[in-house]
Structures are given as C-alpha cells and as structure tokens.
Amino acid sequence: MKKVGSFFRKYGESYLMLGCWFAFFVFFVLIPIAISVVISLTDFNMLQTPEFVGPDNYIRLILSDEIFVKSLANTLLFAVITGPVGYIICFVMAWFINETGKYVRPFLTFLFYSPTLAGSIFVMWTYVFSDDAYGLLNSILMNMGITQSPIQWLTNPSYNFYVVIVVILWMSMGTSFLSFIAGLQSLNKSLFESAAIDGIRNRWQELWYITLPQMVPQLLIGAVLTISSSFAVGSVPAALTGNPSTDYSTHTLLLHITDYGNTRLELGYASAIAVVLFIIMVVTWSVINKVLHSLGKD
Amino acid sequence: MKKIVSVITVILIFVSSLFSIVVSAETADMARVIKESERVALPFEITKKAGYSISITYSALKGRSVSPQIAVSWDKPHTDSEDEIYDLPRTWADVREGERFKQDDYGNELSPTPVEKTTVKTVVIMPQNEAWETGFMLEKGAHTLYLEMIQEEVEIKSVAVNKVEAFASYKDYIKDAKSKHSGTENGAQTIYQDAELLHEKSHLEVAVSYDRSSPNIHPNEPSRIRYNILGGSSWASAGQWVSYKVNVDKAGFYKLNVVYRQRTVAGVDVRRRIYVDGVVPFEEFDCVLFPAVKSFVPLTPKADNGDCYIYLDKGEHEIKFEVVLDSLQDVIGRFQKVLKDLNDLSSRINVIIGEGVDLNRDYDFVSALPELVPTLTESVDVLSEIIADVSGSSDENGSQSARLEEAVRLFSKMAKRPNDIAKQIDYFRTQLYDLASVLSTMQTQPIELDYFELIPEEGQTSVKTKNFFSVFGFRAKAFFGSFVDDYSSMNAIKDGEDALEVWVSLGRDQAQVMNQLITDGFSSNTGIPVRLSLVTTNIMTAIASGKAPDVVLNLGSANIADLYYRDALVDISKMENIDNVLKRFYPSSLTSFKYNGGLYALPQTQSFPMMFYRADIFKANGYEVPKTWDEMYALLSKMQNNGMTMGISISEETFYMMLLQQGVGLYNEDMSATNLTDNKAVDAFSKWTNLFTKYGIPKSFDATNRFRTGQMPLVLNDYSFYRTLKVSAPEIQNSFAMAQLPGVKTENGINHSSHTGVTGAVVIKSANDDYTNAMKFIDWVTSDDTQSKYSFNSEIRVGISARVNTANKNVMSTISWSKSELDAITAQWEQAVQVPVSPAYYYISRNLNNAFRRVVYQYEKPIDVIYRYAHEIDAELDRKRTELNIGGEK
C-alpha cells in the first residue's frame, strides 16, 4: 500500500496528464473499434434489435459481394497510384521549397498547402470537368476542334477514374508536406559539413545518406497520414462522380461503407467492411514502417 | 428632364360632367361584374380632339389573392399587346394586436396577416407607352372603349373618360392655400407615423420586414424581432400603393419628412407619387424622386425654393405613397421594342448556326439575313439614346449605363464586321440576358420606409439620432443575445413539459408560419401544446438513440418507406374519420404510404412534371403545342432545323413517365420483382435512351438559362420550375406557358401519366402507446383550412418562391394560379401515378442510371442492357425482402 502511495506521489502528475488523452483514446478510438467489430457479427438495420449472425457478413463480403471486390480493387489502385506518387511529390516539393530563401519559402508553402487548407474546394473541379458543353474542359476542347460533342468526364466510366486521380494528386500537399518542410528545417547542419569532408560526391548521396536518415520521424508521420488518406479516399470521388458512380467505376471501400450504412441501412455489413479496411490499413502501415526504418542502411 | 404637365386625379370622376365629354348613361354607372376573360364594349362620344384618361371605379370581388387585371383598348378589342394590361388592385389591411403586432412566446413580433377589404376604389388609366403624359389621343366623334378581364373578376361601378389637365404648381397651390387659410394654429406638434403600421395597401407582397442592425431604425430591440420597416424589393412595381391615416390636432401647414432607404438597386433614384386625401396636391408630389442611399435618411419633397408645405385641417387625413414609372415609361417602351427585335434576330441567327458553332465556317450572315446590319445599327442608336436618358437622375453611379454601353460596343462591332458574328454569338446571347436584366431593374422602384413625419411650420423632427455609444451598446447586446436565444425551437414550451413533439425541416420563415398556425388553429382549439422544432438531422439516428419526436412533417416517401419497413411508424388507417380525411387527396399520392394493409403517412406536398413552352417562340414559328409523343418527335425535328432543341431530363423520372404511359407499373402485383423485362418496359427503356441517342437531345443543360434564351423553347420539368422562372426570368414573364405532358394514344384517349413525388406527415412509434393527439395533429395539418392558410401565409411572407405544392386537392384552387395554369396543373395531377417505394428503391435509380449510361455512352443494345440490370435489381430486391421479412417465409 505504501509502495502504491509513493508511486503516485512520484508519477501521479504525469499519469494525470496522460490520463486525459488516454480517456479520449479509449472513448473515441478503442471503444468504437470494438463496437464496430461486435456489430460486424450481427444483422442490424438501425431501428430493430440486432440479431447475432456470426461470421455471415464476412463470408458474404468475401464470397458473394462483387461490388466489394471492385471497390477494394479501386481503393488499392487509388492507394498505389496516389499514395506513393503523392508522397514523393510532397517530399520533392518540400525539398525544393526548402532551398528557396526565407521570404519566398513561407509564401510557396502556403501556396502549395492551400488546396488542402481550403477543404472541399475541390468541387470546383466539377466545373472544369462538367458534362455540359459549357463545362470548362469541354468548351475548350470543342472550341479547338478536338472534340465535336461534350465528353461525360464524370459519369462515363472510361474517364472518371482518371479525373479522380488527377484531383487527388492536386490535393496531396497535405499535413505530411508541412511536416517534411519542418523536418528539413531542423536538419543538423554540421553533419552536412562533415559529410562533405568525408567525401560525399553529389546531392543525391547527400539526400540518401544524410538528409533522409535524419528525417525518419517526419517521413513516418507523412507515411501514416498518406496511407490513411489514400485508403480513406471517398469524399472526392463521391463529390465529383456521384455516389455511387456509374457501374461503381470510382467506388472505394469507404463509399461502400457509407452505401451500406446510410443508404441500405445494413449496419452489420457496413461494420464488417470497416473492420476489413482497418486490418488492411494496419498491415500496410507496419510494412511501410519497416521500409522507412531501413532508410540509409545499405 | 421633361416637365410633368398633367395627370388626372381621382376626384375628377365626380365632376366629370363639367368636362366636355358626353358619357352615355349606361356606361357611366354600370355596376356590373365582368368575369375572367369576359369583354365589354362601351361607346363614348368625344366632342373635342384631345388627350384623355380613363377612370375605372371598381370593387374587386373576393377571390384568390392575385390582383385582377384588365385590358383596356380604344376602338379595337385587346389582342396581345402587353402595354394595354392594367392592374385593378385589391385592398388589403394588416391585422394588428393593439397598437402593434402580435408577439410570440419569446417577445418576438410575428409578421401580420393581411386581410382583404372590399372597398370601392378608382384607378386612373393612362397609356403605358410614349403617350404616358398626354393621355389617349382621341379624335372628335364616336369611339368604343373595350374592357377585357385578363385575370380574376371585378365589379365595375363606373367608367369615366376625362380630358388630361395640367397640375397646379406648388407656387400656385401655396398662394391659393395661404389666401384661404390663416396659417398654422399655435401649439401644432410634429406628427409621427411608423411606416409598418399602414392603413391599407394594394398588393399582398408589399409587406413589413425587420432590420435589427441599428437603434436608429424605429422601433427596435437588440435581440427581439420588431417589424420596423415597410417595403423593400417587394414594393417596387408601378401601381403598388400604401396608405396611412394620420390625425391632425391643429390645422395648419405641414411639411412631409420621409425616412427611407434605397439600397436594393445601386445608384438608382426611385419614384413615388404622394396623395393627400386621395389627391395629388401639386405637381411636385406627382413624382417624388428618392435617391439611392445605404442607410436610412430623411427626405422632404422640395419645390423651387424650399420645402413643400401642405395645408391640413383638423381631423383625420390619408397619406398615400404609390409607385410610378412616369417618364421612365417612355424609355422602357423603347427598350422593350429594341430588345424584342434583338431577340428575334438572335433566334434567326440560331437558325443559321444550328446547335454548335463551327468557327471555321463562313456563315455569310449578310446575304442570309439582310435585316441583320440595319437591326444592329438601329439598336445601337436606340440604346445610345436610352443611355443618355437614364444617365441623369435615374442612374447616378452609371451602373446601368455601363452595362448598356458594353452591349452597344458589341452590337456596333457586330454591325461593322458581320462575318465575325459566329465568334461572338455566345457573348451576344449573354448580352441579351444582361439587357433583359437591366430592363427589369429599370422597371423596379424598390424603397424601404422606416417612418414619416408631418412637421408644422417652425417645428422640429421628433426623432433624435442615437450617438455612437448607444449604437455600439445596441449591437453588443444583440451579439451576446445571439448566444442565449434558442433558434431551433419555435415556441417556448420547455423540454420537460408534456407536449406533442413535432419536427419539421423547412425554411425558418415557413416554420414560423406553421408555428403561428399551430398556436392559433390547433393548440387553442384542442388544448394540446405542441413543441415545433426545426430539425435537419436524420430521423433514423434520432429514433435509434431514443430521441425521436412524436410527429415528423414533410418527410420524403423514400424515408417514410425506410421507416415503415423497419416497423418504426404508427399505422394510421384506424384513425378516426379516416375515410373523410383521405378524400382530400388523389389516390396517387397514397401509393407509397400503404404497406401490408396499413397506412403510414398523410400526404402534404406532391410534385409532378409539366410541359413548359415559350408561347412567343411557338407563335413566331407556327409550332403547335404537342399532345402526344409522335407530335413531340415531329416538333423536335422542326426545332432542330431552326437551331433549337428541347429540354428533357435524363433522370429516371423520364423513364417512369415512358413506362407509365405504356400502362406498365415498375413492380409486379406483390412488389416481389420488377417488370423491367416486360416487352413494354423494354420499349419504354428504348424510348428513353433514344431521346438522347437517336434524337440528340442534350444530356446535361441548364434548363432555366436555355429556356430564357429560347435555345430550348420546350422543357419538361417539375412544376416547381414555374416558381424558378417567375423569380429568375422576369423578361419572359408573359411569354411562357404550362401544359400537360405529351402522352401516348390509347383506346380511352391520351395517356399523359407521369411519376409524382410525395412528402408526408408521419407518427413515430413510441413507448407509450397513445397516438390520439399525434393523429389529431396530422389530420389538422393536412386539412383544407390549414393547408390553404399555410400556403397563403408562406407565399406572402417569402414570395412566390415559397409557393406550396400542396397534396390537398381542394387547396390547389385557392393558390394564386391563373385559370389556365390551374387547369393544366389539375389535368396533369389527375393522371399522375406514383411508382411505389420498395425496400430496394435505391437500387432502381442507381441501376437505371447505369443502364442508361451504358446505352448512351457506350452504345450497347438497350434490350441486352436492361435485362442485365433488371436481374441485378431483382436480386437486391429479393435479398432486401428476406432481410426485412417481407412477404412471409421464403
């Protein structure tokens, strides 16, 4: 008993401060995930009492839901294309901007970050890609004589996937971009000097052996953010191509969840999809974590 | 500036015998009712060539809330010339409680309800064109005056024709008055009159409103609503008037001090004619100009060298403000003509160009349209004159002239280089819109009045302007008040109290109207307190979390179906008196509310598509209004030859229309599967897709804009499109019409049916099983009386954009539709059919869209496509029925 008392005298304050965030974590992250797992084992239509059905939802999800397979494929495609490409663009841009002077840098940072800052400003792309003959892209193409009639950029499944990718890449300068800039700012200058003396031959070697290993925490944060955002793609295709899109051409897992949760009112099934998405994200993150920690090690 | 020479006044009617006109006995005093579209011819003997005005003394018969309109023409019956049509306004008064308006539980004033007064009024009719000043010029001899009621009916008491005489100038008036009266009595006080406390008004839309921005607007409270101003954009068209009764204690000379604001139309002086006791006392009051100002300022009408005084003896006097266009009428007339010519020209250019412009082609406009260059040159001349006319007082900061100059620049460029017109055609069309909107701004004369005073000679204004600190304090109180006030609940019944909980998602104004009706018409009669809340959250989540209300209003049929399939609604088919209640609706509106032998909602609103067409374009091109789809297709090819097309939505509603007109429902008898693989359904599907493939109708378009420009003179759209056009396209107000949808010929006539969307009022299931009060409430909400009051009050409060599309068939005829509009709507309504809502409703529209796009974008065969998607839909429907245990064990 005495031991406990002295323990609290010693560490009490720290635990109190920790406790706040721990409570938040428990109530808003852990418990919802747990509830979601439980609901995913039931048949729940939101109004009537849920009925326990065991793994039925998962079985149906994997064996008979074609749209799930399609949306999983779309999500992975979006993640593979926009994730790494966006991540690399982010880093390269941050690297470039870091080279500019101290007056230009904040301005450029603001400029590149602004699409994310402005939230759902991406809906302005619906004007660019409007289906009407008076839509920006259509009218330009028609005026130049390249096309004769308006192209349905957003509803024709042959085009809308690419449109969504373009818009997501345009928005990829997110929080990770800011953390990269911060990371580049906090590099230890003396290391560069000693590396130069030790015989670094070019900027690439400098980047690989000096810059990147110092930036692992920021890169890690950036990776986590990029993964979660590229797996959580949903609002962009929904706003641009409609929900659901033509023949589910831009349907993602997140949209599949909202489709079952909000439209079809099958919360058990929607939770099952969410759980699957959660597992995929955790697995991907641990792989990326390993890769990033091996940076700069031959 | 032209001098105002003459205008005839009301008083002349009683002394008309003094004039040199012989009025035949039966016309001077006819006292007979003229019905809508009835025509009367009155013979007059004119003894001297002169300009004449016509005075009509009438009393409007109680009817709908629209103003009666009459067409007046000399020696030939009215054709379709718009400047022959005049309003014979009704007389309205606002109901007040004591001095001011009724207040709600929080101390906010409620907007007053207007009531119609049957009084005899006289309207003086002058030409609405360049002869606005001189009157109708009549030669000596026999003439016939034709009167035709365009809208509503009135009782005409007498008609008099009077010679137009000049007004007395202020100088003469004051000289005459000074010689007759001894001056102002001692102790004369300034008389104050709030503008919102009016005596009578001519039009419903001239209404009170509130401005809480400053304590200098009288009266005001920081965080409570006080209806403290009158007018605004709704008091702007010629002929609308407002009158006040003021009590004068001491006879004498008073000057008028009007506190007003005009910030609706930037930089434009607005015009008002001021009557004192029914007479314009002198020419300076004939057309008083109120310059544009951003905040409320006082204005006293001036004569040559100082303020105008009027003599008022002891007793009650009437001051009346009327909107007049005066000299603007001439400008507007010329403007209208030039705009019409340009619009005609534009449609002839469209014929040559066709739907899309080919910039590389030489269209050779000059030889194809010989009138092109002359029309453009003439329009440049006329518009330049108009610029000169308005750039004086009526357009101070030149915003209108700048827009006109832009058009002039374009037209002169086009006239100089007609071969480049193809490049500018889009800009040309935009300029035509813009001209139309300049024209409609020119016709509007909006003003807001705060109060006016009658100040005696050597008197002072009775109102002190608040200083900076009290304005600051007022604003601070209003700001902090906004944290305390509850905006979502409409009345002050506390949470714990036992009241009927009603949720509604409407505009705040409509909710307030509803709340007022509930307090006056429901709670006071039944003793059941009702807590009405404005809620936009999903009702589903509210029920899941146990916070559900008792009643939800205006819920869409898909939401309602989601709820009853999940056993969350109360079956109201056992309600008291249900058979009589259901007589209010067309059976079509109940389809989706019935399930398993029960009834789960009462319809509130119902919408369905109608055919909108541009009567002017139809007339100019000799088109007939199509009644069947065969006529539609024939008309479409004619239109396409003339560079126009039709607007039909690609939405699944168009498919439902095709399907229903084939006589097939979407689902089979027990709703266990769709009928999409039926031959007739496949046929309907091909017809739907053919419109956009074979017939080349645009797949996406802005209906309002293309309808305005005449690029799409025919549009199929929901009948609420009418409201949109009324509000946003003033220039085509009188040139569009509504008709029934095109149909399919059958043995029993033409089948015009279409799908109809319904919203309804539902009772939510709760733990205590007593739903009597809730049922009483939804019965009351959908009743004839409530619905007609609700639609009337929301329309006067919010304007035509809030016109209610009621589901109650008895109420529709009380709404301000014209007779022809009402006939068209009723005919379509009777044939409307509702596609039932299955538990897999979302899957239908989604897959129909996918199927449509496969055919239209990827050119697959309709029959293959519809079979494939029909299979998917049926599978989902099957799954959903099993999930929700519908139709017994499978």
Side-chain angles (χ1 to χ4, degrees):
Chain A
M1 212 46 218
K2 222 177 180 183
K3 257 188 181 169
V4 176
S6 69
F7 177 81
F8 268 102
R9 252 192 307 281
K10 201 169 174 191
Y11 299 113
E13 278 174 14
S14 321
Y15 275 94
L16 197 72
M17 288 183 191
L18 210 68
C20 267
W21 300 107
F22 187 71
F24 269 99
F25 180 71
V26 168
F27 281 107
F28 293 104
V29 180
L30 275 189
I31 293 182
I33 290 176
I35 291 179
S36 185
V37 172
V38 173
I39 291 182
S40 76
L41 300 172
T42 65
D43 180 7
F44 182 31
N45 70 15
M46 203 152 178
L47 296 186
Q48 287 158 318
T49 334
E51 205 178 309
F52 186 75
V53 291
D56 277 11
N57 286 330
Y58 291 94
I59 293 169
R60 185 178 138 208
L61 188 66
I62 290 155
L63 294 184
S64 66
D65 189 347
E66 285 170 35
I67 305 166
F68 169 71
V69 179
K70 173 112 196 183
S71 60
L72 180 63
N74 280 341
T75 309
L76 291 178
L77 262 178
F78 278 133
V80 168
I81 299 172
T82 64
V85 175
Y87 190 65
I88 291 168
I89 294 179
C90 256
F91 183 77
V92 173
M93 279 299 160
W95 196 34
F96 285 169
I97 287 173
N98 192 48
E99 299 289 310
T100 58
K102 68 173 176 181
Y103 297 110
V104 185
R105 194 188 307 126
F107 176 69
L108 284 179
T109 312
F110 172 72
L111 208 67
F112 278 88
Y113 186 59
S114 54
T116 319
L117 204 63
S120 51
I121 190 74
F122 64 84
V123 289
M124 69 138 197
W125 289 92
T126 52
Y127 166 62
V128 176
F129 291 107
S130 165
D131 293 357
D132 194 347
Y134 294 99
L136 196 61
L137 190 57
N138 274 329
S139 67
I140 291 174
L141 288 178
M142 283 164 76
N143 278 342
M144 287 164 65
I146 295 172
T147 56
Q148 292 308 311
S149 56
I151 294 173
Q152 269 64 34
W153 295 109
L154 299 175
T155 47
N156 192 332
S158 332
Y159 306 109
N160 57 9
F161 191 77
Y162 305 103
V163 170
V164 171
I165 284 184
V166 167
V167 176
I168 293 176
L169 284 180
W170 175 77
M171 291 179 63
S172 60
M173 302 285 158
T175 321
S176 44
F177 168 71
L178 285 191
S179 75
F180 290 165
I181 292 212
L184 287 166
Q185 290 287 301
S186 61
L187 293 179
N188 186 346
K189 298 254 161 41
S190 57
L191 284 181
F192 288 94
E193 223 176 287
S194 51
I197 295 166
D198 283 352
I200 285 280
R201 276 197 300 270
N202 53 33
R203 290 298 298 268
W204 292 113
Q205 279 189 347
E206 192 185 276
L207 179 71
W208 187 254
Y209 292 110
I210 315 294
T211 313
L212 287 183
Q214 284 193 72
M215 278 183 63
V216 169
Q218 285 86 17
L219 290 177
L220 212 56
I221 275 287
V224 171
L225 291 170
T226 312
I227 292 163
S228 56
S229 72
S230 57
F231 276 102
V233 166
S235 57
V236 176
L240 292 177
T241 63
N243 185 22
S245 46
T246 312
D247 284 329
Y248 307 102
S249 51
T250 64
H251 210 56
T252 63
L253 282 181
L254 202 77
L255 291 179
H256 205 43
I257 296 172
T258 49
D259 188 20
Y260 271 94
N262 295 347
T263 314
R264 308 195 201 201
L265 301 171
E266 294 172 35
L267 291 187
Y269 193 71
S271 303
I273 309 170
V275 170
V276 171
L277 179 61
F278 177 69
I279 293 170
I280 294 175
M281 283 168 86
V282 170
V283 170
T284 325
W285 178 78
S286 56
V287 171
I288 304 276
N289 197 7
K290 287 232 170 71
V291 171
L292 285 175
H293 273 108
S294 62
L295 270 185
K297 293 167 194 157
D298 299 290
Chain B
M1 187 83 206
K2 280 176 193 164
K3 258 202 178 156
I4 296 136
V5 208
S6 59
V7 160
I8 210 84
T9 55
V10 190
I11 203 148
L12 286 178
I13 218 170
F14 306 110
V15 290
S16 60
S17 54
L18 297 177
F19 288 83
S20 53
I21 328 161
V22 179
V23 181
S24 37
E26 82 260 278
T27 57
D29 262 322
M30 45 188 237
R32 62 164 288 198
V33 174
I34 310 188
K35 294 223 159 51
E36 185 162 316
S37 69
E38 194 185 335
R39 181 180 291 162
V40 184
L42 306 173
F44 283 91
E45 185 71 34
I46 301 291
T47 51
K48 199 180 163 203
K49 184 190 170 180
Y52 290 90
S53 71
I54 307 161
S55 299
I56 301 179
T57 305
Y58 69 99
S59 131
L61 299 180
K62 279 234 160 123
R64 292 168 306 128
S65 51
V66 283
S67 276
Q69 285 184 333
I70 196 166
V72 176
S73 55
W74 280 104
D75 299 328
K76 58 168 180 42
H78 164 71
T79 45
D80 53 0
S81 152
E82 266 175 40
D83 55 13
E84 289 173 357
I85 299 174
Y86 297 83
D87 262 13
L88 296 180
R90 299 170 183 280
T91 308
W92 301 90
D94 286 341
V95 176
R96 289 201 285 270
E97 213 176 52
E99 279 289 289
R100 294 191 60 82
F101 307 114
K102 202 173 164 185
Q103 297 188 349
D104 70 3
D105 297 346
Y106 297 108
N108 294 311
E109 277 182 355
L110 299 167
S111 87
T113 317
V115 284
E116 191 178 348
K117 287 167 107 180
T118 33
T119 50
V120 177
K121 293 277 167 189
T122 301
V123 157
V124 178
I125 285 172
M126 292 285 281
Q128 302 184 81
N129 50 32
E130 63 280 358
W132 62 275
E133 199 167 39
T134 44
F136 298 95
M137 198 48 81
L138 297 174
E139 299 286 339
K140 182 172 187 280
H143 290 275
T144 316
L145 176 66
Y146 287 93
L147 301 178
E148 184 182 335
M149 283 314 288
I150 302 293
Q151 183 172 288
E152 296 290 278
E153 52 186 44
V154 295
E155 186 184 348
I156 304 272
K157 304 278 188 202
S158 69
V159 178
V161 175
N162 304 310
K163 198 150 70 175
V164 174
E165 302 257 307
F167 271 117
S169 71
Y170 176 67
K171 217 185 271 172
D172 296 341
Y173 168 86
I174 202 77
K175 210 159 124 197
D176 184 49
K178 285 255 154 88
S179 69
K180 280 186 197 151
H181 310 287
S182 58
T184 312
E185 284 176 42
N186 284 337
Q189 294 291 319
T190 298
I191 300 159
Y192 173 92
Q193 173 68 41
D194 271 315
E196 65 273 16
L197 304 177
L198 52 90
H199 171 57
E200 281 177 349
K201 62 184 180 185
S202 63
H203 289 75
L204 277 176
E205 56 266 29
V206 181
V208 297
S209 61
Y210 61 88
D211 186 327
R212 287 197 282 189
S213 63
S214 160
N216 282 321
I217 302 167
H218 299 270
N220 225 339
E221 293 250 350
S223 57
R224 292 286 171 266
I225 292 169
R226 290 288 171 267
Y227 280 88
N228 49 13
I229 49 185
L230 175 92
S233 54
S234 61
W235 186 23
S237 354
Q240 293 177 330
W241 55 258
V242 171
S243 69
Y244 298 90
K245 283 266 188 250
V246 287
N247 249 317
V248 176
D249 283 337
K250 307 272 180 193
F253 289 91
Y254 291 86
K255 69 176 178 190
L256 193 61
N257 183 36
V258 184
V259 177
Y260 79 102
R261 175 169 72 182
Q262 197 291 96
R263 54 172 192 184
T264 323
V265 199
V268 172
D269 294 5
V270 297
R271 292 138 194 260
R272 288 292 180 277
R273 177 176 296 160
I274 301 172
Y275 296 84
V276 178
D277 296 325
V279 185
V280 179
F282 38 82
E283 85 170 84
E284 278 74 7
F285 269 22
D286 180 42
C287 177
V288 179
L289 291 178
F290 292 85
V293 279
K294 291 219 167 61
S295 58
F296 282 98
V297 293
L299 179 133
T300 302
K302 302 254 190 299
D304 314 326
N305 45 3
D307 299 341
C308 290
Y309 282 88
I310 41 177
Y311 180 78
L312 298 171
D313 49 14
K314 187 173 159 32
E316 201 175 45
H317 293 274
E318 189 201 59
I319 310 278
K320 178 166 128 183
F321 299 87
E322 188 188 16
V323 187
V324 285
L325 290 176
D326 228 62
S327 59
L328 270 182
Q329 251 164 29
D330 179 32
V331 177
I332 288 164
R334 282 180 284 150
F335 201 155
Q336 272 165 339
K337 199 183 158 292
V338 78
L339 191 58
K340 192 178 168 295
D341 292 347
L342 285 167
N343 275 326
D344 288 349
L345 186 70
S346 160
S347 58
R348 279 195 296 266
I349 295 178
N350 286 349
V351 173
I352 295 175
I353 290 182
E355 219 193 308
V357 189
D358 185 350
L359 293 180
N360 301 317
R361 189 176 140 187
D362 180 7
Y363 287 99
D364 194 13
F365 288 110
V366 181
S367 51
L369 293 173
E371 74 278 21
L372 175 86
V373 176
T375 313
L376 286 171
T377 328
E378 201 202 310
S379 70
V380 168
D381 293 344
V382 177
L383 288 175
S384 310
E385 272 173 43
I386 291 174
I387 293 171
D389 286 345
V390 298
S391 57
S393 60
S394 64
D395 182 26
E396 272 176 358
N397 63 1
S399 66
Q400 292 181 2
S401 332
R403 287 161 79 186
L404 293 175
E405 273 160 17
E406 183 65 31
V408 165
R409 256 199 299 283
L410 174 72
F411 299 155
S412 45
K413 199 156 111 197
M414 287 168 75
K416 248 179 247 154
R417 308 183 59 181
N419 287 330
D420 287 350
I421 286 180
K423 276 183 208 156
Q424 287 148 345
I425 191 69
D426 275 339
Y427 192 44
F428 179 60
R429 285 175 190 146
T430 329
Q431 282 304 322
L432 291 188
Y433 285 147
D434 204 42
L435 285 186
S437 87
V438 172
L439 175 63
S440 74
T441 349
M442 222 177 246
Q443 282 165 307
T444 58
Q445 305 282 311
I447 199 171
E448 289 165 293
L449 296 187
D450 183 8
Y451 61 91
F452 68 83
E453 289 174 306
L454 290 167
I455 305 177
E457 284 175 306
E458 280 145 43
Q460 290 292 324
T461 165
S462 60
V463 181
K464 274 199 197 110
T465 309
K466 301 268 194 313
N467 62 19
F468 171 80
F469 293 103
S470 48
V471 173
F472 183 84
F474 181 88
R475 294 238 172 123
K477 266 189 210 156
F479 176 72
F480 289 110
S482 71
F483 292 100
V484 184
D485 293 345
D486 184 356
Y487 290 103
S488 70
S489 63
M490 308 302 298
N491 46 17
I493 296 169
K494 297 261 158 23
D495 265 350
E497 272 175 76
D498 190 26
L500 196 67
E501 184 88 39
V502 178
W503 282 11
V504 67
S505 59
L506 288 170
R508 200 175 163 76
D509 286 303
Q510 282 98 324
Q512 221 143 32
V513 168
M514 184 50 89
N515 188 45
Q516 218 164 325
L517 286 176
I518 291 173
T519 321
D520 298 346
F522 183 73
S523 297
S524 60
N525 292 342
T526 57
I528 304 167
V530 174
R531 180 165 50 238
L532 184 71
S533 312
L534 266 179
V535 180
T536 47
T537 44
N538 187 351
I539 183 73
M540 212 49 109
T541 34
I543 298 176
S545 59
K547 303 243 178 208
D550 299 308
V551 172
V552 182
L553 300 181
N554 289 83
L555 203 57
S557 50
N559 287 329
I560 292 176
D562 273 339
L563 291 174
Y564 65 62
Y565 283 129
R566 287 165 185 79
D567 195 27
L569 296 184
V570 177
D571 179 6
I572 52 172
S573 60
K574 304 283 174 315
M575 199 164 110
E576 238 180 288
N577 203 13
I578 185 75
D579 293 331
N580 279 328
V581 171
L582 293 186
K583 276 183 198 148
R584 298 167 189 162
F585 315 107
Y586 284 103
S588 68
S589 62
L590 295 167
T591 316
S592 70
F593 297 160
K594 284 180 183 158
Y595 165 62
N596 239 352
L599 178 71
Y600 292 91
L602 289 183
Q604 283 184 284
T605 68
Q606 198 176 358
S607 58
F608 41 87
M610 297 281 294
M611 181 162 74
F612 291 82
Y613 64 96
R614 287 282 298 273
D616 53 340
I617 295 179
F618 270 55
K619 203 176 157 201
N621 291 286
Y623 299 153
E624 292 278 327
V625 180
K627 289 204 170 53
T628 64
W629 278 97
D630 293 333
E631 290 172 26
M632 261 308 249
Y633 298 136
L635 178 63
L636 178 62
S637 68
K638 276 190 208 163
M639 282 188 179
Q640 284 169 337
N641 281 339
N642 292 347
M644 296 179 275
T645 184
M646 290 176 179
I648 301 176
S649 158
I650 59 170
S651 76
E652 67 269 16
E653 313 241 318
T654 309
F655 170 67
Y656 293 155
M657 171 173 68
M658 300 287 191
L659 189 70
L660 294 167
Q661 292 186 354
Q662 296 282 328
V664 193
L666 182 59
Y667 298 98
N668 63 7
E669 223 31 35
D670 58 351
M671 301 242 322
S672 60
T674 58
N675 283 335
L676 288 174
T677 48
D678 185 295
N679 278 344
K680 283 181 172 169
V682 175
D683 193 32
F685 181 72
S686 319
K687 281 186 173 160
W688 178 35
T689 49
N690 277 348
L691 283 175
F692 306 95
T693 51
K694 202 166 136 194
Y695 296 105
I697 288 177
K699 295 183 256 304
S700 103
F701 55 89
D702 180 335
T704 321
N705 271 345
R706 297 223 196 158
F707 190 69
R708 287 171 76 154
T709 50
Q711 289 165 289
M712 280 183 182
L714 188 151
V715 167
L716 303 189
N717 209 328
D718 191 89
Y719 85 101
S720 60
F721 187 51
Y722 178 89
R723 300 189 298 217
T724 317
L725 291 175
K726 278 281 169 193
V727 175
S728 64
E731 77 277 13
I732 54 164
Q733 270 334 282
N734 297 304
S735 43
F736 78 89
M738 265 195 291
Q740 250 188 304
L741 293 172
V744 172
K745 264 202 187 112
T746 62
E747 289 145 24
N748 328 313
I750 301 171
N751 183 350
H752 293 283
S753 30
S754 73
H755 171 61
T756 162
V758 188
T759 70
V762 297
V763 180
I764 309 277
K765 270 195 179 165
S766 61
N768 66 348
D769 255 350
D770 183 21
Y771 305 113
T772 0
N773 289 352
M775 287 189 188
K776 252 187 214 161
F777 182 76
I778 61 168
D779 172 16
W780 172 83
V781 158
T782 54
S783 69
D784 299 1
D785 187 46
T786 314
Q787 285 287 310
S788 61
K789 276 186 187 150
Y790 173 65
S791 69
F792 176 78
N793 289 347
S794 3
E795 194 169 334
I796 50 170
R797 185 185 277 224
V798 187
I800 198 164
S801 60
R803 181 169 288 184
V804 177
N805 46 348
T806 177
N808 185 319
K809 57 184 174 188
N810 307 326
V811 172
M812 188 60 99
S813 55
T814 67
I815 296 175
S816 310
W817 300 102
S818 78
K819 194 170 172 304
S820 59
E821 288 162 353
L822 188 65
D823 287 348
I825 289 174
T826 321
Q828 185 61 46
W829 199 2
E830 275 164 1
Q831 295 218 8
V833 178
Q834 197 186 11
V835 171
V837 184
S838 74
Y841 65 89
Y842 50 85
Y843 229 57
I844 310 267
S845 58
R846 159 182 321 188
N847 282 300
L848 280 176
N849 275 326
N850 286 342
F852 175 86
R853 288 170 185 167
R854 268 199 186 258
V855 174
V856 175
Y857 301 160
Q858 284 152 0
Y859 310 108
E860 292 184 25
K861 249 177 105 184
I863 185 161
D864 298 349
V865 171
I866 193 68
Y867 263 77
R868 186 161 5 128
Y869 285 102
H871 173 73
E872 269 190 37
I873 294 170
D874 285 344
E876 175 78 5
L877 183 56
D878 225 33
R879 198 178 65 72
K880 217 61 196 172
R881 283 167 64 87
T882 320
E883 188 212 323
L884 297 166
N885 283 324
I886 300 167
E889 294 301 310
K890 280 234 155 186

